[in-house]
Amino acid sequence: MVKKCLFPAAGYGTRFLPATKATPKEMLPILTKPLIQYGVEEALGAGIKTMAIITGRGKRAIEDHFDISYELEHQIQNTGKEPLLAEIRALISQCTFSYTRQVEMKGLGHAILTGETLIGQEPFAVLLADDLCTNSEDNVLSQLIKIYNTYQCSVVAIEEIPFEETHKYGVISGKIIDGNDDIYRVSDMVEKPQPKDAPSTMAIIGRYILTPDIFDILKDTKPGKGGEIQITDALKKQAKKGKVIAYKFKGKRFDCGSVDGFVEATNYFYKQTHKEQK
Ligand code: G1P
């Protein structure tokens, strides 16, 4: 059973400076909802109620967001504005949130390792809130959990990307298994390769199910690309033992870590809500 979701949220968000100077990038809103709230909603939609958030200096707004704001709520009580907080209130009442701080920024692998005390020895989900995903049926995390339940090993969500963009992602190679074009047994993975060195154009996006042995592997993983401890390098060690599945998820993903993706997501969600309101 996957019962916990880890949210690495300690990064600086330099691509959104100056907006992220005093505001965590995970709190940037698509319409009226911060990115991390979409992530928590996705986890809850996948049946996960325990949220483990890896924060860092200057990220307190995330904790405040998933808490009651007595003064504000008292002020808007019995006014037309009260319903604006209904969604977040419902979310808070259904989930528990725990936090730990990543004191030094040593990469995504290091952030995940920092979460060991919150996760313990059980399989868990990892959700990178700046990859905003949406699907009309099962959400992407639910899809990954189904794959995990079948194969009982780590699972990464993948998507085909243009050849010239491999340097932005972890890229996998693998073989289709069980006659399903969407499911691969991973044989190799490389963090942000140049196109000429990329083993394929199948890129990992920010959704993972990890088995807890990843923590010990991460403790032994040396800094890789960019001098950082990479989750891709740790996963590669599991992959060499046939213990990683890559799954071409159904749905749409927006790279909200880039201004272009952020604007695209904003337009998409605006059109969606606009349609619903008509
Ligand atoms: C991280 C991972 C990378 C993955 C990407 C998905 O990179 O290191 O393997 O493809 O997330 O968004 P980042 O975008 O944090 O640099």
Side-chain angles (χ1 to χ4, degrees):
M1 275 278 279
V2 178
K3 291 182 297 198
K4 296 179 181 170
C5 185
L6 193 72
F7 296 80
Y12 295 123
T14 47
R15 271 185 279 176
F16 282 89
L17 281 171
T20 47
K21 192 170 170 234
T23 302
K25 66 171 173 164
E26 296 77 14
M27 290 301 296
L28 297 178
I30 299 294
L31 306 188
T32 54
K33 211 152 62 178
L35 280 170
I36 193 148
Q37 188 177 334
Y38 287 92
V40 169
E41 286 174 357
E42 182 177 332
L44 186 62
I48 295 176
K49 294 189 169 157
T50 305
M51 312 298 164
I53 305 185
I54 309 298
T55 63
R57 281 178 292 281
K59 298 277 187 169
R60 268 191 212 158
I62 298 177
E63 292 178 46
D64 290 339
H65 185 69
F66 295 112
D67 197 354
I68 291 168
S69 170
Y70 283 106
E71 201 180 318
L72 170 70
E73 291 182 36
H74 178 74
Q75 288 286 333
I76 66 173
Q77 211 170 17
N78 303 323
T79 73
K81 295 194 173 138
E82 208 174 354
L84 298 175
L85 287 178
E87 212 176 16
I88 180 73
R89 286 296 298 262
L91 204 60
I92 294 167
S93 69
Q94 291 177 80
C95 308
T96 61
F97 297 86
S98 348
Y99 300 86
T100 192
R101 275 194 185 200
Q102 188 185 6
V103 176
E104 288 176 284
M105 302 301 137
K106 292 198 219 162
L108 179 57
H110 180 255
I112 292 173
L113 180 55
T114 307
E116 184 180 15
T117 47
L118 300 180
I119 299 294
Q121 283 302 305
E122 54 184 277
F124 61 102
V126 175
L127 191 152
L128 307 183
D130 51 13
D131 273 338
L132 178 50
C133 293
T134 170
N135 189 35
S136 51
E137 290 165 29
D138 266 7
N139 73 38
V140 178
L141 220 47
S142 311
Q143 296 170 38
L144 291 199
I145 290 174
K146 282 192 183 149
I147 300 288
Y148 170 79
N149 289 340
T150 305
Y151 295 95
Q152 301 282 316
C153 66
S154 291
V155 184
V156 297
I158 52 164
E159 137 179 301
E160 286 284 354
I161 46 136
F163 179 69
E164 60 281 6
E165 287 185 15
T166 57
H167 66 284
K168 296 186 191 166
Y169 300 94
V171 179
I172 68 125
S173 63
K175 276 209 175 73
I176 289 174
I177 53 169
D178 294 340
N180 185 331
D181 289 358
D182 296 330
I183 305 178
Y184 293 76
R185 173 102 43 206
V186 178
S187 51
D188 197 11
M189 44 213 314
V190 192
E191 179 67 8
K192 306 198 172 100
Q194 286 306 314
K196 66 175 177 36
D197 304 318
S200 76
T201 49
M202 290 185 292
I204 302 170
I205 64 119
R207 300 288 182 281
Y208 309 74
I209 307 294
L210 301 176
T211 51
D213 55 310
I214 202 75
F215 293 126
D216 281 341
I217 301 175
L218 279 167
K219 284 172 202 158
D220 281 339
T221 301
K222 303 257 164 339
K225 192 89 187 179
E228 297 187 331
I229 296 171
Q230 299 293 350
I231 188 62
T232 309
D233 294 338
L235 277 165
K236 183 175 165 168
K237 293 184 195 162
Q238 290 186 329
K240 293 290 173 199
K241 295 186 180 151
K243 296 286 193 194
V244 181
I245 300 288
Y247 173 66
K248 264 191 196 161
F249 68 94
K250 304 205 168 32
K252 257 179 124 29
R253 174 197 68 114
F254 298 97
D255 172 14
C256 293
S258 76
V259 174
D260 284 354
F262 194 91
V263 172
E264 217 183 296
T266 303
N267 289 332
Y268 178 86
F269 282 90
Y270 180 76
K271 278 192 198 126
Q272 293 292 106
T273 43
H274 197 65
K275 231 192 298 173
E276 276 167 24
Q277 279 160 10
K278 266 189 193 168

mmCIF file of all heavy atoms in Angstrom, residues 211-249:
data_model
loop_
_atom_site.group_PDB
_atom_site.id
_atom_site.type_symbol
_atom_site.label_atom_id
_atom_site.label_comp_id
_atom_site.label_asym_id
_atom_site.label_seq_id
_atom_site.Cartn_x
_atom_site.Cartn_y
_atom_site.Cartn_z
ATOM 1 N N THR A 211 10.516 2.361 -3.700
ATOM 2 C CA THR A 211 10.561 1.386 -2.610
ATOM 3 C C THR A 211 11.588 1.893 -1.597
ATOM 4 O O THR A 211 12.527 2.607 -1.963
ATOM 5 C CB THR A 211 10.937 -0.012 -3.158
ATOM 6 O OG1 THR A 211 12.118 0.088 -3.962
ATOM 7 C CG2 THR A 211 9.799 -0.578 -3.999
ATOM 8 N N PRO A 212 11.405 1.551 -0.316
ATOM 9 C CA PRO A 212 12.207 2.219 0.719
ATOM 10 C C PRO A 212 13.697 1.883 0.704
ATOM 11 O O PRO A 212 14.488 2.603 1.323
ATOM 12 C CB PRO A 212 11.567 1.744 2.032
ATOM 13 C CG PRO A 212 10.792 0.534 1.681
ATOM 14 C CD PRO A 212 10.372 0.676 0.253
ATOM 15 N N ASP A 213 14.093 0.830 -0.023
ATOM 16 C CA ASP A 213 15.539 0.549 -0.124
ATOM 17 C C ASP A 213 16.266 1.697 -0.841
ATOM 18 O O ASP A 213 17.484 1.802 -0.785
ATOM 19 C CB ASP A 213 15.804 -0.784 -0.846
ATOM 20 C CG ASP A 213 15.140 -0.833 -2.215
ATOM 21 O OD1 ASP A 213 13.935 -0.539 -2.309
ATOM 22 O OD2 ASP A 213 15.841 -1.132 -3.200
ATOM 23 N N ILE A 214 15.504 2.575 -1.481
ATOM 24 C CA ILE A 214 16.112 3.727 -2.163
ATOM 25 C C ILE A 214 16.907 4.585 -1.172
ATOM 26 O O ILE A 214 17.891 5.217 -1.541
ATOM 27 C CB ILE A 214 15.026 4.583 -2.898
ATOM 28 C CG1 ILE A 214 15.648 5.427 -4.009
ATOM 29 C CG2 ILE A 214 14.249 5.478 -1.948
ATOM 30 C CD1 ILE A 214 16.017 4.688 -5.227
ATOM 31 N N PHE A 215 16.469 4.610 0.100
ATOM 32 C CA PHE A 215 17.171 5.462 1.077
ATOM 33 C C PHE A 215 18.615 4.998 1.284
ATOM 34 O O PHE A 215 19.537 5.804 1.283
ATOM 35 C CB PHE A 215 16.417 5.491 2.417
ATOM 36 C CG PHE A 215 15.079 6.182 2.331
ATOM 37 C CD1 PHE A 215 13.909 5.544 2.745
ATOM 38 C CD2 PHE A 215 14.978 7.480 1.847
ATOM 39 C CE1 PHE A 215 12.677 6.181 2.667
ATOM 40 C CE2 PHE A 215 13.740 8.129 1.770
ATOM 41 C CZ PHE A 215 12.598 7.473 2.184
ATOM 42 N N ASP A 216 18.797 3.672 1.456
ATOM 43 C CA ASP A 216 20.171 3.182 1.635
ATOM 44 C C ASP A 216 20.986 3.405 0.364
ATOM 45 O O ASP A 216 22.173 3.731 0.423
ATOM 46 C CB ASP A 216 20.169 1.698 2.022
ATOM 47 C CG ASP A 216 19.854 1.532 3.501
ATOM 48 O OD1 ASP A 216 20.007 2.529 4.246
ATOM 49 O OD2 ASP A 216 19.428 0.435 3.908
ATOM 50 N N ILE A 217 20.331 3.233 -0.776
ATOM 51 C CA ILE A 217 21.053 3.464 -2.047
ATOM 52 C C ILE A 217 21.479 4.939 -2.128
ATOM 53 O O ILE A 217 22.604 5.254 -2.493
ATOM 54 C CB ILE A 217 20.181 3.068 -3.259
ATOM 55 C CG1 ILE A 217 19.785 1.576 -3.177
ATOM 56 C CG2 ILE A 217 20.907 3.363 -4.573
ATOM 57 C CD1 ILE A 217 18.835 1.104 -4.251
ATOM 58 N N LEU A 218 20.572 5.824 -1.750
ATOM 59 C CA LEU A 218 20.889 7.266 -1.814
ATOM 60 C C LEU A 218 22.060 7.624 -0.897
ATOM 61 O O LEU A 218 22.876 8.495 -1.232
ATOM 62 C CB LEU A 218 19.658 8.100 -1.436
ATOM 63 C CG LEU A 218 18.630 8.313 -2.554
ATOM 64 C CD1 LEU A 218 17.323 8.861 -1.996
ATOM 65 C CD2 LEU A 218 19.174 9.242 -3.646
ATOM 66 N N LYS A 219 22.131 6.937 0.249
ATOM 67 C CA LYS A 219 23.238 7.234 1.181
ATOM 68 C C LYS A 219 24.583 6.923 0.542
ATOM 69 O O LYS A 219 25.591 7.510 0.891
ATOM 70 C CB LYS A 219 23.070 6.407 2.465
ATOM 71 C CG LYS A 219 21.985 6.962 3.370
ATOM 72 C CD LYS A 219 21.683 6.029 4.542
ATOM 73 C CE LYS A 219 20.293 6.339 5.079
ATOM 74 N NZ LYS A 219 19.689 5.244 5.834
ATOM 75 N N ASP A 220 24.579 5.990 -0.418
ATOM 76 C CA ASP A 220 25.828 5.594 -1.081
ATOM 77 C C ASP A 220 25.997 6.255 -2.448
ATOM 78 O O ASP A 220 26.903 5.912 -3.194
ATOM 79 C CB ASP A 220 25.819 4.074 -1.330
ATOM 80 C CG ASP A 220 26.167 3.319 -0.077
ATOM 81 O OD1 ASP A 220 26.781 3.936 0.815
ATOM 82 O OD2 ASP A 220 25.804 2.136 0.015
ATOM 83 N N THR A 221 25.065 7.131 -2.812
ATOM 84 C CA THR A 221 25.136 7.727 -4.156
ATOM 85 C C THR A 221 25.977 9.002 -4.124
ATOM 86 O O THR A 221 25.703 9.916 -3.338
ATOM 87 C CB THR A 221 23.699 8.004 -4.684
ATOM 88 O OG1 THR A 221 22.992 6.768 -4.706
ATOM 89 C CG2 THR A 221 23.709 8.590 -6.088
ATOM 90 N N LYS A 222 26.965 9.022 -4.961
ATOM 91 C CA LYS A 222 27.876 10.186 -5.009
ATOM 92 C C LYS A 222 27.220 11.304 -5.815
ATOM 93 O O LYS A 222 26.377 11.028 -6.682
ATOM 94 C CB LYS A 222 29.180 9.782 -5.714
ATOM 95 C CG LYS A 222 29.897 8.608 -5.070
ATOM 96 C CD LYS A 222 31.072 9.106 -4.259
ATOM 97 C CE LYS A 222 31.663 8.114 -3.268
ATOM 98 N NZ LYS A 222 30.913 6.988 -2.771
ATOM 99 N N PRO A 223 27.611 12.540 -5.580
ATOM 100 C CA PRO A 223 27.086 13.629 -6.406
ATOM 101 C C PRO A 223 27.316 13.338 -7.892
ATOM 102 O O PRO A 223 28.363 12.828 -8.273
ATOM 103 C CB PRO A 223 27.893 14.841 -5.952
ATOM 104 C CG PRO A 223 28.355 14.502 -4.573
ATOM 105 C CD PRO A 223 28.564 13.015 -4.561
ATOM 106 N N GLY A 224 26.306 13.611 -8.703
ATOM 107 C CA GLY A 224 26.398 13.362 -10.148
ATOM 108 C C GLY A 224 26.272 14.657 -10.911
ATOM 109 O O GLY A 224 26.918 15.658 -10.573
ATOM 110 N N LYS A 225 25.374 14.671 -11.888
ATOM 111 C CA LYS A 225 25.158 15.862 -12.729
ATOM 112 C C LYS A 225 25.014 17.121 -11.868
ATOM 113 O O LYS A 225 24.258 17.122 -10.887
ATOM 114 C CB LYS A 225 23.879 15.637 -13.550
ATOM 115 C CG LYS A 225 23.683 16.636 -14.643
ATOM 116 C CD LYS A 225 24.348 16.153 -15.909
ATOM 117 C CE LYS A 225 24.327 17.191 -16.988
ATOM 118 N NZ LYS A 225 25.002 16.691 -18.203
ATOM 119 N N GLY A 226 25.721 18.154 -12.218
ATOM 120 C CA GLY A 226 25.604 19.434 -11.518
ATOM 121 C C GLY A 226 26.157 19.388 -10.097
ATOM 122 O O GLY A 226 25.859 20.269 -9.291
ATOM 123 N N GLY A 227 26.925 18.318 -9.760
ATOM 124 C CA GLY A 227 27.480 18.205 -8.410
ATOM 125 C C GLY A 227 26.414 17.879 -7.372
ATOM 126 O O GLY A 227 26.636 18.031 -6.166
ATOM 127 N N GLU A 228 25.222 17.418 -7.825
ATOM 128 C CA GLU A 228 24.131 17.148 -6.895
ATOM 129 C C GLU A 228 23.852 15.651 -6.781
ATOM 130 O O GLU A 228 24.128 14.893 -7.728
ATOM 131 C CB GLU A 228 22.854 17.844 -7.397
ATOM 132 C CG GLU A 228 22.985 19.358 -7.443
ATOM 133 C CD GLU A 228 21.659 20.026 -7.771
ATOM 134 O OE1 GLU A 228 20.835 19.404 -8.466
ATOM 135 O OE2 GLU A 228 21.459 21.157 -7.317
ATOM 136 N N ILE A 229 23.284 15.242 -5.655
ATOM 137 C CA ILE A 229 22.897 13.833 -5.500
ATOM 138 C C ILE A 229 21.576 13.639 -6.251
ATOM 139 O O ILE A 229 20.565 14.270 -5.931
ATOM 140 C CB ILE A 229 22.788 13.456 -4.020
ATOM 141 C CG1 ILE A 229 24.191 13.598 -3.389
ATOM 142 C CG2 ILE A 229 22.261 12.026 -3.852
ATOM 143 C CD1 ILE A 229 24.232 13.478 -1.892
ATOM 144 N N GLN A 230 21.653 12.807 -7.279
ATOM 145 C CA GLN A 230 20.527 12.680 -8.213
ATOM 146 C C GLN A 230 19.706 11.430 -7.915
ATOM 147 O O GLN A 230 20.264 10.342 -7.761
ATOM 148 C CB GLN A 230 21.049 12.601 -9.658
ATOM 149 C CG GLN A 230 21.828 13.824 -10.118
ATOM 150 C CD GLN A 230 20.955 15.074 -10.236
ATOM 151 O OE1 GLN A 230 19.723 15.010 -10.154
ATOM 152 N NE2 GLN A 230 21.585 16.217 -10.421
ATOM 153 N N ILE A 231 18.384 11.581 -7.875
ATOM 154 C CA ILE A 231 17.516 10.410 -7.695
ATOM 155 C C ILE A 231 17.673 9.463 -8.895
ATOM 156 O O ILE A 231 17.591 8.239 -8.758
ATOM 157 C CB ILE A 231 16.029 10.822 -7.455
ATOM 158 C CG1 ILE A 231 15.173 9.618 -7.066
ATOM 159 C CG2 ILE A 231 15.420 11.516 -8.646
ATOM 160 C CD1 ILE A 231 15.556 8.933 -5.796
ATOM 161 N N THR A 232 17.929 10.048 -10.062
ATOM 162 C CA THR A 232 18.104 9.229 -11.272
ATOM 163 C C THR A 232 19.257 8.228 -11.081
ATOM 164 O O THR A 232 19.137 7.061 -11.460
ATOM 165 C CB THR A 232 18.405 10.137 -12.487
ATOM 166 O OG1 THR A 232 17.401 11.153 -12.530
ATOM 167 C CG2 THR A 232 18.403 9.376 -13.794
ATOM 168 N N ASP A 233 20.360 8.668 -10.472
ATOM 169 C CA ASP A 233 21.508 7.769 -10.267
ATOM 170 C C ASP A 233 21.160 6.642 -9.291
ATOM 171 O O ASP A 233 21.588 5.505 -9.469
ATOM 172 C CB ASP A 233 22.722 8.565 -9.747
ATOM 173 C CG ASP A 233 23.247 9.550 -10.780
ATOM 174 O OD1 ASP A 233 22.971 9.347 -11.986
ATOM 175 O OD2 ASP A 233 23.917 10.529 -10.400
ATOM 176 N N ALA A 234 20.399 6.977 -8.263
ATOM 177 C CA ALA A 234 20.002 5.945 -7.286
ATOM 178 C C ALA A 234 19.043 4.949 -7.947
ATOM 179 O O ALA A 234 19.173 3.732 -7.782
ATOM 180 C CB ALA A 234 19.358 6.605 -6.077
ATOM 181 N N LEU A 235 18.104 5.469 -8.717
ATOM 182 C CA LEU A 235 17.148 4.586 -9.408
ATOM 183 C C LEU A 235 17.847 3.669 -10.403
ATOM 184 O O LEU A 235 17.443 2.529 -10.615
ATOM 185 C CB LEU A 235 16.100 5.431 -10.139
ATOM 186 C CG LEU A 235 14.940 5.929 -9.287
ATOM 187 C CD1 LEU A 235 14.186 7.038 -10.009
ATOM 188 C CD2 LEU A 235 13.987 4.777 -8.957
ATOM 189 N N LYS A 236 18.915 4.191 -10.998
ATOM 190 C CA LYS A 236 19.651 3.383 -11.972
ATOM 191 C C LYS A 236 20.178 2.105 -11.302
ATOM 192 O O LYS A 236 20.198 1.035 -11.909
ATOM 193 C CB LYS A 236 20.811 4.223 -12.517
ATOM 194 C CG LYS A 236 21.617 3.536 -13.579
ATOM 195 C CD LYS A 236 22.648 4.502 -14.117
ATOM 196 C CE LYS A 236 23.699 3.758 -14.907
ATOM 197 N NZ LYS A 236 24.545 4.661 -15.658
ATOM 198 N N LYS A 237 20.568 2.216 -10.038
ATOM 199 C CA LYS A 237 21.061 1.028 -9.324
ATOM 200 C C LYS A 237 19.932 0.012 -9.146
ATOM 201 O O LYS A 237 20.147 -1.188 -9.273
ATOM 202 C CB LYS A 237 21.661 1.422 -7.977
ATOM 203 C CG LYS A 237 22.935 2.241 -8.156
ATOM 204 C CD LYS A 237 23.623 2.564 -6.843
ATOM 205 C CE LYS A 237 24.652 3.663 -7.049
ATOM 206 N NZ LYS A 237 25.046 4.323 -5.820
ATOM 207 N N GLN A 238 18.726 0.492 -8.873
ATOM 208 C CA GLN A 238 17.582 -0.443 -8.798
ATOM 209 C C GLN A 238 17.292 -1.018 -10.185
ATOM 210 O O GLN A 238 16.991 -2.200 -10.329
ATOM 211 C CB GLN A 238 16.331 0.277 -8.279
ATOM 212 C CG GLN A 238 16.388 0.676 -6.816
ATOM 213 C CD GLN A 238 15.066 1.251 -6.325
ATOM 214 O OE1 GLN A 238 14.325 1.879 -7.095
ATOM 215 N NE2 GLN A 238 14.764 1.059 -5.057
ATOM 216 N N ALA A 239 17.401 -0.160 -11.196
ATOM 217 C CA ALA A 239 17.081 -0.587 -12.573
ATOM 218 C C ALA A 239 18.008 -1.714 -13.020
ATOM 219 O O ALA A 239 17.582 -2.642 -13.710
ATOM 220 C CB ALA A 239 17.179 0.603 -13.528
ATOM 221 N N LYS A 240 19.261 -1.634 -12.609
ATOM 222 C CA LYS A 240 20.227 -2.681 -13.000
ATOM 223 C C LYS A 240 19.805 -4.047 -12.460
ATOM 224 O O LYS A 240 20.226 -5.079 -12.947
ATOM 225 C CB LYS A 240 21.644 -2.330 -12.495
ATOM 226 C CG LYS A 240 22.231 -1.105 -13.172
ATOM 227 C CD LYS A 240 22.583 -1.357 -14.652
ATOM 228 C CE LYS A 240 23.002 -0.093 -15.362
ATOM 229 N NZ LYS A 240 22.915 -0.165 -16.825
ATOM 230 N N LYS A 241 18.965 -4.045 -11.424
ATOM 231 C CA LYS A 241 18.456 -5.311 -10.880
ATOM 232 C C LYS A 241 17.050 -5.609 -11.399
ATOM 233 O O LYS A 241 16.342 -6.469 -10.866
ATOM 234 C CB LYS A 241 18.419 -5.232 -9.353
ATOM 235 C CG LYS A 241 19.791 -5.096 -8.737
ATOM 236 C CD LYS A 241 19.685 -5.169 -7.221
ATOM 237 C CE LYS A 241 21.062 -5.023 -6.591
ATOM 238 N NZ LYS A 241 20.989 -4.416 -5.268
ATOM 239 N N GLY A 242 16.631 -4.838 -12.408
ATOM 240 C CA GLY A 242 15.306 -5.061 -12.999
ATOM 241 C C GLY A 242 14.168 -4.541 -12.137
ATOM 242 O O GLY A 242 13.018 -4.941 -12.286
ATOM 243 N N LYS A 243 14.492 -3.609 -11.215
ATOM 244 C CA LYS A 243 13.491 -3.190 -10.227
ATOM 245 C C LYS A 243 12.919 -1.790 -10.463
ATOM 246 O O LYS A 243 12.516 -1.114 -9.511
ATOM 247 C CB LYS A 243 14.117 -3.241 -8.817
ATOM 248 C CG LYS A 243 14.525 -4.624 -8.369
ATOM 249 C CD LYS A 243 13.302 -5.420 -8.007
ATOM 250 C CE LYS A 243 13.646 -6.692 -7.269
ATOM 251 N NZ LYS A 243 12.502 -7.594 -7.227
ATOM 252 N N VAL A 244 12.931 -1.354 -11.708
ATOM 253 C CA VAL A 244 12.269 -0.070 -12.007
ATOM 254 C C VAL A 244 11.398 -0.228 -13.250
ATOM 255 O O VAL A 244 11.845 -0.718 -14.289
ATOM 256 C CB VAL A 244 13.292 1.080 -12.237
ATOM 257 C CG1 VAL A 244 12.562 2.394 -12.507
ATOM 258 C CG2 VAL A 244 14.219 1.247 -11.028
ATOM 259 N N ILE A 245 10.171 0.210 -13.111
ATOM 260 C CA ILE A 245 9.235 0.235 -14.240
ATOM 261 C C ILE A 245 9.020 1.696 -14.630
ATOM 262 O O ILE A 245 8.917 2.564 -13.759
ATOM 263 C CB ILE A 245 7.861 -0.372 -13.831
ATOM 264 C CG1 ILE A 245 8.004 -1.827 -13.380
ATOM 265 C CG2 ILE A 245 6.826 -0.223 -14.941
ATOM 266 C CD1 ILE A 245 8.298 -2.817 -14.467
ATOM 267 N N ALA A 246 8.985 1.951 -15.936
ATOM 268 C CA ALA A 246 8.624 3.288 -16.413
ATOM 269 C C ALA A 246 7.261 3.177 -17.076
ATOM 270 O O ALA A 246 6.990 2.212 -17.803
ATOM 271 C CB ALA A 246 9.665 3.791 -17.405
ATOM 272 N N TYR A 247 6.428 4.139 -16.802
ATOM 273 C CA TYR A 247 5.049 4.073 -17.287
ATOM 274 C C TYR A 247 4.683 5.362 -18.030
ATOM 275 O O TYR A 247 4.809 6.466 -17.470
ATOM 276 C CB TYR A 247 4.108 3.854 -16.089
ATOM 277 C CG TYR A 247 2.654 3.932 -16.465
ATOM 278 C CD1 TYR A 247 2.084 2.981 -17.305
ATOM 279 C CD2 TYR A 247 1.847 4.973 -15.993
ATOM 280 C CE1 TYR A 247 0.753 3.069 -17.671
ATOM 281 C CE2 TYR A 247 0.514 5.057 -16.354
ATOM 282 C CZ TYR A 247 -0.026 4.100 -17.191
ATOM 283 O OH TYR A 247 -1.338 4.188 -17.553
ATOM 284 N N LYS A 248 4.271 5.178 -19.297
ATOM 285 C CA LYS A 248 3.816 6.344 -20.077
ATOM 286 C C LYS A 248 2.425 6.711 -19.597
ATOM 287 O O LYS A 248 1.445 6.042 -19.944
ATOM 288 C CB LYS A 248 3.749 5.973 -21.560
ATOM 289 C CG LYS A 248 4.972 6.363 -22.315
ATOM 290 C CD LYS A 248 4.755 6.213 -23.810
ATOM 291 C CE LYS A 248 6.092 6.227 -24.488
ATOM 292 N NZ LYS A 248 6.072 5.666 -25.819
ATOM 293 N N PHE A 249 2.365 7.743 -18.775
ATOM 294 C CA PHE A 249 1.091 8.082 -18.119
ATOM 295 C C PHE A 249 0.073 8.653 -19.103
ATOM 296 O O PHE A 249 0.433 9.167 -20.170
ATOM 297 C CB PHE A 249 1.348 9.083 -16.991
ATOM 298 C CG PHE A 249 1.787 10.435 -17.484
ATOM 299 C CD1 PHE A 249 0.863 11.457 -17.703
ATOM 300 C CD2 PHE A 249 3.122 10.697 -17.753
ATOM 301 C CE1 PHE A 249 1.254 12.702 -18.172
ATOM 302 C CE2 PHE A 249 3.531 11.941 -18.220
ATOM 303 C CZ PHE A 249 2.596 12.933 -18.430
#
